[in-house]
Amino acid sequence: SGLELNSARVRQVRELPGQLAHLSQGEANELFALAGRFSQAGLYQEAADAYFRLGAEFPDFPHMAGPAALSQASNLYSSAWDLEGQWKAYNALMQTYPDSEAARSASAMRAYMAGP
């Protein structure tokens, strides 16, 4: 019985990475949907926060890659008049995805903005 318990535990541990990946994918889907709902409702700050988190935590999300999510976050922070949030999104873009088109655009936009 002790051996059976150990083999069941080993099986659970081996299956854990797949289960965690599934949970992460579900959380990314929820963040994406939530960000869209917030944006449609005109809650730009909340939408920007959700897109920022999506871009930072789930860079390979199939429906919106990290650079696109961070770029969307910066646009929504601008709509919410949150200059600090916009700079945070620009900095994340330039540090995390320095060779992306979104990072080049963020760098150009920051050049014309006053710092927070």
Side-chain angles (χ1 to χ4, degrees), residues 19 22-23 30 34 50-51 55 68 70 72 80 84 99 101 111-112 116:
Q19 292 170 351
H22 180 69
L23 290 173
E30 286 183 30
L34 191 61
Y51 279 119
L70 291 172
Q72 182 67 9
E84 287 184 34
D99 297 328
E101 182 61 36
Y112 295 105

Side-chain angles (χ1 to χ4, degrees), residues 50-66:
Y51 279 119
F52 185 88
R53 188 168 165 222
L54 183 67
E57 294 178 24
F58 304 99
D60 298 323
F61 182 60
H63 301 295
M64 181 175 259

Side-chain angles (χ1 to χ4, degrees), residues 47-116:
D49 291 343
Y51 279 119
F52 185 88
R53 188 168 165 222
L54 183 67
E57 294 178 24
F58 304 99
D60 298 323
F61 182 60
H63 301 295
M64 181 175 259
L70 291 172
S71 183
Q72 182 67 9
S74 71
N75 292 336
L76 288 163
Y77 281 128
S78 175
S79 295
W81 296 93
D82 180 354
L83 185 59
E84 287 184 34
Q86 191 173 17
W87 273 72
K88 175 179 79 169
Y90 284 159
N91 288 337
L93 266 169
M94 294 186 311
Q95 290 171 3
T96 310
Y97 308 101
D99 297 328
S100 70
E101 182 61 36
R104 286 187 286 281
S105 294
S107 178
M109 290 297 292
R110 259 186 29 160
Y112 295 105
M113 295 173 58

